[in-house]
Amino acid sequence: MTSTSPYFTAPGVLTRNMSRRLCGVTRGRGLDGGGSGSGDSAKQPGAGKGRAGLPAAAYPLQQQPAPQIQPGDSEPSNAARQKGERLQAGGNRNRARQKASPAGESDSKWEPSHWREHWENIREMRKSRDAPVDSMGAEQCFDKTAAPEVMRYQVLLSLMLSSQTRDHVTFAAMRKLRDHGLTMDNILKMEDKTLGELIYPVGFWRNKVKYIKQTTAILKEQYNGDIPSSISELQKLPGVGPKMGHLIMKIAWNNVSGISVDTHVHRIVNRLKWVKKETKNPEESRLALEEWMPRELWSETNWLLVGFGQQTCLPVNPRCAGCLNRDICPTAKNNLRKTNPGLPPSSQPCQQQQ
């Protein structure tokens, strides 16, 4: 009897529609109904039929499901996927470093080599306090018995006079002014010629006569006979720069607003390499020092280095042989080699700075 089943065209031969249905079922599972199938039975000798009694050729080899891609999406290439993995790994490393370091701090803070040894040796050399700045500096020029606002005014004037002037000349000029009554009212009443005679021979004395008169008038009118109590306001006065301003804040107001850097300090910090690169003027040196120097040392820096520069680290022919830093000073060996040729040459000459 001939089969009339709609699923077979001949005995043992599936119709095209039935074959497609079976392919759809077996694609998601193995031929044995499990999670994985084997397509080797079609290749082995004697494997002519499957479990259902159908020819093995009717069962397609099992295939893994293809990844589903949404319309409009494109599959990333290997290069793009690897790049994304590298970026993610780099981001993880950066976050780990930020977590390990306190917020706002860099991984490493620059400091000069041997600077603490330099500092302690200079302190040792300055302990006798017998440099000109110790007996005739700005802290010794004002009348300590006068009213507070008068004392502050005298501190301001002494530092205005000290620019480009040796301490003993400034001290003598301040003594003459005090003998004539150094108050704002007296300076405003004084003739320019008389004021010039009293402060001569300080450097640029004619300009300083003009600055003193202008500044005194401003203080009388705008500050009620006192001096400004902030560094920004002090620097607005005629003839007052950062070096004077920070020293006035320290002496007159007992407020350390910054490091006072004059030519002595500027010269020494460059010789000791206390700056990352050579600075061209005192203000550059001040900014470079304040980047790394502990703030508790700022108030001592000017007094310490000015006296050291007056006695040992001179502008010309510094006395390196008697300096406690001669073995660790970056520029001392070259200077000592002039008198001792056996010393190895230094890479940097000892600069002759004024």
Side-chain angles (χ1 to χ4, degrees):
M1 180 176 176
T2 303
S3 172
T4 60
S5 170
Y7 303 113
F8 294 90
T9 59
V13 180
L14 288 171
T15 65
R16 181 179 296 179
N17 290 337
M18 189 59 186
S19 177
R20 288 178 179 174
R21 292 183 182 181
L22 289 174
C23 288
V25 173
T26 58
R27 186 171 294 168
R29 57 179 181 170
L31 295 179
D32 60 354
S36 62
S38 174
D40 295 339
S41 60
K43 301 178 183 180
Q44 295 175 358
K49 295 183 179 181
R51 289 177 59 185
L54 300 177
Y59 294 88
L61 295 177
Q62 180 173 349
Q63 301 176 2
Q64 294 295 330
Q68 299 297 318
I69 301 177
Q70 298 297 328
D73 293 345
S74 60
E75 185 175 2
S77 63
N78 289 336
R81 188 161 49 247
Q82 292 173 0
K83 182 178 179 180
E85 292 173 353
R86 288 195 300 271
L87 291 174
Q88 183 177 4
N92 292 337
R93 286 193 296 270
N94 289 336
R95 284 191 292 271
R97 282 196 296 267
Q98 292 172 359
K99 186 175 181 180
S101 301
E105 291 188 6
S106 59
D107 292 338
S108 60
K109 182 179 179 181
W110 181 85
E111 287 186 353
S113 300
H114 305 294
W115 78 268
R116 293 186 184 277
E117 296 172 71
H118 294 153
W119 185 272
E120 292 303 324
N121 286 336
I122 295 172
R123 270 181 173 170
E124 178 65 22
M125 289 182 280
R126 289 282 288 120
K127 67 180 182 180
S128 59
R129 294 176 177 263
D130 54 0
V133 68
D134 297 310
S135 57
M136 293 177 286
E139 293 186 78
Q140 310 301 325
C141 289
F142 63 93
D143 182 4
K144 296 178 174 59
T145 63
E149 64 275 11
V150 175
M151 286 193 292
R152 289 190 284 267
Y153 175 66
Q154 292 182 2
V155 170
L156 170 61
L157 257 59
S158 70
L159 284 164
M160 292 179 69
L161 295 176
S162 70
S163 177
Q164 302 293 316
T165 306
R166 294 182 179 274
D167 286 337
H168 70 277
V169 177
T170 302
F171 186 81
M174 283 296 296
R175 185 169 55 189
K176 287 188 289 183
L177 286 172
R178 287 169 55 187
D179 289 344
H180 278 72
L182 186 49
T183 64
M184 289 189 189
D185 291 335
N186 287 342
I187 291 296
L188 291 174
K189 295 175 184 177
M190 192 179 295
E191 296 288 336
D192 289 1
K193 180 183 177 185
T194 304
L195 180 58
E197 292 173 349
L198 291 174
I199 67 173
Y200 180 85
V202 299
F204 305 101
W205 63 273
R206 290 184 177 87
N207 288 337
K208 290 176 181 178
V209 167
K210 179 177 63 176
Y211 293 152
I212 289 172
K213 281 298 190 79
Q214 291 175 349
T215 295
T216 304
I218 292 172
L219 298 178
K220 187 72 174 177
E221 180 180 350
Q222 299 181 18
Y223 294 94
N224 196 28
D226 208 337
I227 69 172
S229 58
S230 70
I231 184 64
S232 59
E233 291 296 314
L234 281 169
Q235 291 186 81
K236 293 178 182 178
L237 299 175
V240 178
K243 187 265 290 190
M244 296 183 201
H246 291 299
L247 203 51
I248 292 168
M249 289 295 296
K250 175 182 176 292
I251 299 173
W253 294 108
N254 194 28
N255 183 354
V256 180
S257 57
I259 300 174
S260 178
V261 177
D262 67 353
T263 55
H264 289 293
V265 179
H266 170 62
R267 176 180 71 252
I268 292 167
V269 300
N270 277 276
R271 285 180 174 175
L272 292 173
K273 306 302 179 193
W274 282 9
V275 289
K276 288 183 181 180
K277 61 180 181 180
E278 185 177 356
T279 53
K280 298 179 181 179
N281 53 63
E283 181 61 8
E284 285 188 9
S285 295
R286 179 185 73 84
L287 296 173
L289 282 176
E290 290 179 357
E291 284 185 359
W292 66 266
M293 181 174 284
R295 194 176 181 90
E296 60 268 19
L297 300 179
W298 288 11
S299 64
E300 189 180 0
T301 302
N302 181 269
W303 165 83
L304 196 70
L305 297 186
V306 168
F308 178 60
Q310 290 176 337
Q311 293 182 306
T312 305
C313 200
L314 305 176
V316 180
N317 298 322
R319 299 166 182 168
C320 298
C323 179
L324 298 180
N325 286 321
R326 60 184 175 273
D327 294 329
I328 54 175
C329 176
T331 55
K333 278 188 176 181
N334 188 73
N335 186 64
L336 291 171
R337 188 169 170 268
K338 295 177 182 177
T339 55
N340 187 355
L343 288 175
S346 174
S347 59
Q348 296 289 338
C350 200
Q351 301 173 12
Q352 305 298 308
Q353 299 177 354
Q354 297 297 328

